Amino acid sequence: MEIRRVGVVGAGQMGSGIAHVLALSGYEVLVTDTSPEALAALPRTVARNMDRQVTKGTVSGADRDAALKRLRPTPSLSLLGQCDMVIEAATEREAVKIAIFESLVPHLAPRTILATNTSSIPITRLAARTDRPERFLGVHFMNPVPVMQLVELIRGLATSDETFAAAEELVKRLGKTAAVARDYPAFIVNRILLPMINEAAFALMEGVGDVVSIDTAMKLGTNQPMGPLELADFIGLDTCLSIMTVLHDGLGDSKYRPCPLLRTYVEAGWLGRKAKRGFYDYRGETPVPSR
Ligand SMILES: CC(=O)CC(=O)SCCNC(=O)CCNC(=O)[C@H](O)C(C)(C)COP(=O)(O)OP(=O)(O)OC[C@H]1O[C@@H](n2cnc3c(N)ncnc32)[C@H](O)[C@@H]1OP(=O)(O)O
Ligand SMILES: NC(=O)C1=CN([C@@H]2O[C@H](COP(=O)(O)OP(=O)(O)OC[C@H]3O[C@@H](n4cnc5c(N)ncnc54)[C@H](OP(=O)(O)O)[C@@H]3O)[C@@H](O)[C@H]2O)C=CC1
């Protein structure tokens, strides 16, 4: 099935990144969000990120301008009916995603593929809440989307071969590499990465190290570009907590219990970069530990 027009639901970090790479690869992109502010900010955010690539020389100014013309902030879900595929990238809460599918599905053409960018929630369970389990799958981009090469593809129990092939084709056209994960909680990347981030929060809570020592140790000790606490702030502490909760509930092993300190930060509203404060405080010149 030829995909030309793609809808994106959610204009946050991931939705704007997904819209960015889709528009640059020639797709017409309709983006919607419940937050008018997030929707209004979308073209500016994407333009700014594309400018980084123009400065770098990996994208020409003309391609950026053409891509921005293909990017259409869309006030209502109902307008996504004209899309060949819709990718949901809203908040990592199952109830939010299900509510989106329930209001979206009546507007979709029968052949439209519905995908979710969920970090962790079982695809089969989400698919069962739509009218199209055969045309539903996980297309899991990594943050920041314009830079990260990987996309995890996750079939639900009912996902058809045709649907999977269309998603594989889209990933190829984006110039990215697909890894296929089975439909278990948090798939591959977050099944391995988030327990590491959670463990860093436990190390902080137990005083094994302070914020800077933990991040420095892991950056210089294992050559990761960001330390686990810096990365948690980058992902969003609410998203990290949601992923650990899905792992703990889904796999039933106490080793996945979310770190109480991580929960405390989320309850304080210190959600990381997007809230200007998480494990670090981003309100000054340079990030400093927030406690
Ligand atoms: C939670 C989930 O469900 C799944 C996940 O996403 S898990 C998280 C996966 N992501 C990671 O692990 C990210 C780890 N961090 C990194 O790779 C790097 O720190 C980073 C790419 C984010 C930033 O790299 P950096 O060198 O420290 O900083 P920075 O210079 O800003 O960016 C590097 C390059 O990427 C580009 N870039 C960064 N963010 C960008 C964006 N949003 N859009 C476009 N370009 C971007 C920059 O232009 C820069 O290009 P040059 O180096 O050529 O100038
Ligand atoms: N952050 C990351 O590193 C990664 C996240 N993901 C996944 O991508 C998804 C989005 O994450 P992320 O972009 O970080 O989250 P953000 O919190 O940055 O953005 C979520 C966006 O969705 C909006 N939203 C909430 N409810 C609805 C709704 N009913 N309809 C439309 N929009 C809605 C939010 O608006 P408002 O703010 O007003 O609520 C917000 O703008 C999650 O499933 C997450 O697990 C996948 C890979 C990496």
Side-chain angles (χ1 to χ4, degrees), residues 198 201-203 205 241 244 256-264:
N198 198 48
F202 270 111
M205 183 174 85
L241 178 59
M244 286 313 298
Y256 297 114
R257 69 196 184 288
C259 171
L261 184 60
L262 174 63
R263 191 184 302 281
T264 303

Side-chain angles (χ1 to χ4, degrees), residues 49 52 56 119 140 142-144 146-148 190 193 226 235:
N49 283 326
R52 296 166 86 154
K56 239 163 77 174
S119 297
H140 180 212
M142 302 292 137
N143 189 6
V147 180
M148 305 305 284
N190 291 330
L193 179 72
M226 285 175 161
I235 291 168

Side-chain angles (χ1 to χ4, degrees), residues 143-144 147-148 193 196 215-232 234 273 280:
N143 189 6
V147 180
M148 305 305 284
L193 179 72
M196 178 192 80
D215 275 351
T216 303
M218 292 306 287
K219 271 199 286 197
L220 304 190
T222 66
N223 246 5
Q224 301 184 49
M226 285 175 161
L229 299 174
E230 182 188 359
L231 181 55
F234 186 62
R273 276 200 200 181
Y280 292 87

